[in-house]
Amino acid sequence: MTGWLAVVTALGMTAAVAGCTGPATAQEVTLRLVAAEYGDSPANSSKKYWDDLVEKYEADHPKVRVKVSVYSWNQVDRKVKDMVAAGKAPDMAQIGAYADYAARDQLYEAGQLLSIPVQADFLPQLSDAGKVSRIAYGLPFAASTRVLFYNKKLFADAGITSAPKTWSDLAADAAKLKADGVKTPYALPLGPEEAQAETMQWLLSGGAGYTDEVGSYQLDSEKNVKTLTWLKDNLVGKGLTGPTAPAKLNRAAAFAAFTRGEVGMLNGHPTLMKAAAKRNVEYGMVPMPGRGGEARANLGVADWMMAFKRNGHREEIGDFLDYVYSPKNVLAFSREYDLLPVTTAASQTMSTTKSDSALTPFLDELPQTELPPVGKTSWAEVSAAVKERIGRAVSPNGNPEAVLQGLQQLAEAAENAEQ
C-alpha cells in the first residue's frame, strides 16, 4: 500500500483532474485487456472466466465494453511488450511482470485506479511486492506458495514413517528412497523453465535469499554459498536427484514424473494437487524444511494486473478493476485454478470453507512468504541469468561460490544501469 494519506491525496488529485478533463461519459468506451491463460482445457479456459465476468459487468455498465484477449504464458508477456513498443498498449494487462513499464512511466498508480477499500484489501506482502520506488503499480492478481510434496506410497515402501523436517531428514529420506529403487528421490528442477523459483526456495530455507533486509542483492552471501554447496554435496553428488541433471530438468517434467509415481519428493504449488489426484498418486504436503528446522521464509509467487496510461480511460479502468477484485470474483478465479486469493477478505473466506480445505497448507504458508524482487527493473535480467547458470553450480564439477559471485556482479551492474 502507498499509505492512507498518499492514497487519499492521489485519489483527490486525480479526481480533480478528471473533473476538468475526464472522458465523455455520453459515448461508449471500449477497454482492452490482455490476459494470461491459466486453464488446461477449453472447459476451464481463462477466456471462459473472463467472458462470464465481462458479461455480468457490461450488463450493469451499458456505456462500457471490455474486450479480452487471452494468450498462453509462452506468449502473453511478449505480446504485451510488442503492443507497447508499437504504440498500441492495451488498457490493461494481466501478465508476469510490471516493473519495466512502471519505470518508463507507462502505468497508472494503483491509487489512481482503485477505491480505497479494494486497494487496502490486498495482502500486505503482495501489495508491497507491487511497488517501484515505494509506489504501487502492479496489482497482484494470482498468488501461490510452495510446499514439499511427497509420495506416501514410496515413503511407506522405503520404511519412512514421517515427512522430513530438516535438510538432514530430507537427505536421509532421499537415500532410503534410492535404496528402495525410486527413480528420482528428490526432483531438483534447475532447468531454464523456472530455476529461479526452485533456487529461491532453497536459499530461503538456508536462511538468506536473493536480497537482504534493505532490498540489495546478496546472491553471493555466505549462507547462499553454503546452501548450494549442501545441495551439490548431499543431494546431487550422491545421486539422489534422479537421472536428469538438475540443470536440464524443468518444473513441468518434474511435476509430470511425480504424477507418474517416479518422484519421492519435490517442491510444488497448488496445481500439482489436481494433477497428482488425476493419476491416483497419494501424496502428502509439509512446509519446506530448513537447514536445522523450519525455513526462515517460504517462496511466494504472484502474477500481476497493470493499467497503461496511453489510452486514458482511467475512471473506467478503475471501476472495472474494482469489480474484478470484488470478493466473489477473486474467490471464483482462485477456486477455478487452484490458486491463492490475493485479498484478505477472500483469503479469510477460503481458510474457513470446508470445500477449500485442500489449499489450507498453502494458505498457511502465505503470511510467511517472500517474493522475488519483482519491483526491481533489473530483476528480469537477473532472473534470466539465474535460469541459465544456477544449474552449473550444483553439477559434479560445479563451483557454487564462483557461480553466485558471477550472478552478484551481473545483478549489481544491472542495478546500476537502472540509475
Side-chain angles (χ1 to χ4, degrees):
M1 280 6 122
T2 56
W4 289 107
L5 180 58
V7 173
V8 172
T9 301
L11 287 170
M13 291 176 64
T14 52
V17 173
C20 299
T21 60
T25 56
Q27 53 189 352
E28 185 176 286
V29 169
T30 298
L31 302 178
R32 289 176 171 80
L33 165 65
V34 174
E37 176 63 82
Y38 289 86
D40 57 10
S41 70
N44 71 342
S45 169
S46 291
K47 186 177 188 308
K48 183 177 179 181
Y49 170 82
W50 285 112
D51 285 349
D52 180 65
L53 184 147
V54 167
E55 181 181 0
K56 293 174 182 176
Y57 179 80
E58 290 180 347
D60 292 330
H61 299 79
K63 294 295 184 179
V64 179
R65 292 287 174 265
V66 183
K67 296 186 179 298
V68 183
S69 300
V70 176
Y71 298 93
S72 74
W73 276 108
N74 292 330
Q75 299 174 296
V76 68
D77 288 285
R78 169 59 63 179
K79 185 70 176 179
V80 172
K81 184 176 181 179
D82 290 346
M83 292 173 71
V84 173
K88 298 179 180 179
D91 296 283
M92 296 163 284
Q94 185 271 298
I95 52 178
Y98 67 88
D100 283 354
Y101 301 119
R104 294 195 292 267
D105 194 31
Q106 294 173 322
L107 301 180
Y108 285 115
E109 298 174 19
Q112 295 174 308
L113 298 168
L114 301 176
S115 65
I116 290 176
V118 169
Q119 192 178 357
D121 196 31
F122 288 129
L123 292 168
Q125 68 272 39
L126 300 180
S127 180
D128 287 344
K131 295 177 181 178
V132 173
S133 300
R134 300 182 181 180
I135 298 174
Y137 295 95
L139 315 179
F141 184 76
S144 70
T145 57
R146 300 291 192 270
V147 298
L148 184 73
F149 282 72
Y150 63 96
N151 184 308
K152 288 185 174 182
K153 182 180 185 303
L154 296 181
F155 265 49
D157 291 347
I160 304 170
T161 58
S162 61
K165 296 182 179 178
T166 67
W167 287 2
S168 295
D169 293 342
L170 190 150
D173 291 345
K176 292 177 183 177
L177 291 165
K178 181 182 180 182
D180 198 51
V182 174
K183 188 174 182 180
T184 303
Y186 180 85
L188 184 65
L190 296 180
E193 180 188 1
E194 206 188 26
Q196 84 289 353
E198 179 75 12
T199 300
M200 183 171 174
Q201 179 64 78
W202 277 98
L203 299 184
L204 291 173
S205 69
Y210 288 128
T211 57
D212 59 21
E213 292 80 3
V214 296
S216 299
Y217 285 111
Q218 59 164 9
L219 286 102
D220 61 348
S221 69
E222 182 179 355
K223 288 182 178 179
N224 287 345
V225 172
K226 287 183 176 179
T227 294
L228 293 191
T229 300
W230 186 92
L231 278 173
K232 176 178 180 290
D233 294 344
N234 294 278
L235 290 186
V236 183
K238 294 183 178 179
L240 301 178
T241 53
T244 303
K248 296 182 179 180
L249 181 63
N250 282 326
R251 181 193 65 182
F255 279 18
F258 186 82
T259 66
R260 294 193 300 268
E262 299 171 359
V263 173
M265 297 175 281
L266 82 171
N267 282 317
H269 53 61
T271 59
L272 184 55
M273 296 188 301
K274 186 177 294 185
K278 284 182 179 179
R279 299 292 293 269
N280 297 315
V281 174
E282 189 177 359
Y283 60 87
M285 300 182 295
V286 293
M288 175 67 180
R291 182 183 295 274
E294 188 174 339
R296 176 183 72 81
N298 202 5
L299 172 67
V301 178
D303 302 323
W304 304 94
M305 178 74 77
M306 63 212 70
F308 288 90
K309 297 192 290 187
R310 178 175 178 81
N311 304 318
H313 304 153
R314 180 187 62 80
E315 290 185 354
E316 291 84 359
I317 293 171
D319 187 73
F320 177 68
L321 290 178
D322 272 359
Y323 182 75
V324 168
Y325 285 104
S326 65
K328 68 175 183 178
N329 287 326
V330 172
L331 281 168
F333 180 84
S334 301
R335 286 167 171 161
E336 179 66 33
Y337 301 107
D338 288 328
L339 291 165
L340 303 183
V342 296
T343 63
T344 300
S347 293
Q348 290 174 344
T349 298
M350 188 171 277
S351 65
T352 58
T353 302
K354 187 175 181 179
S355 59
D356 297 317
S357 60
L359 287 170
T360 297
F362 300 95
L363 288 166
D364 289 345
E365 291 297 315
L366 196 54
Q368 290 80 42
T369 57
E370 185 172 312
L371 277 75
V374 292
K376 292 177 173 288
T377 57
S378 58
W379 173 240
E381 183 178 352
V382 174
S383 176
V386 170
K387 292 179 182 181
E388 178 187 355
R389 304 181 191 181
I390 205 68
R392 305 175 200 163
V394 300
S395 65
N397 298 317
N399 185 328
E401 184 173 16
V403 170
L404 289 172
Q405 286 176 346
L407 288 169
Q408 179 68 20
Q409 292 169 3
L410 179 147
E412 290 176 351
E415 187 96 316
N416 292 333
E418 295 180 18
Q419 303 169 4

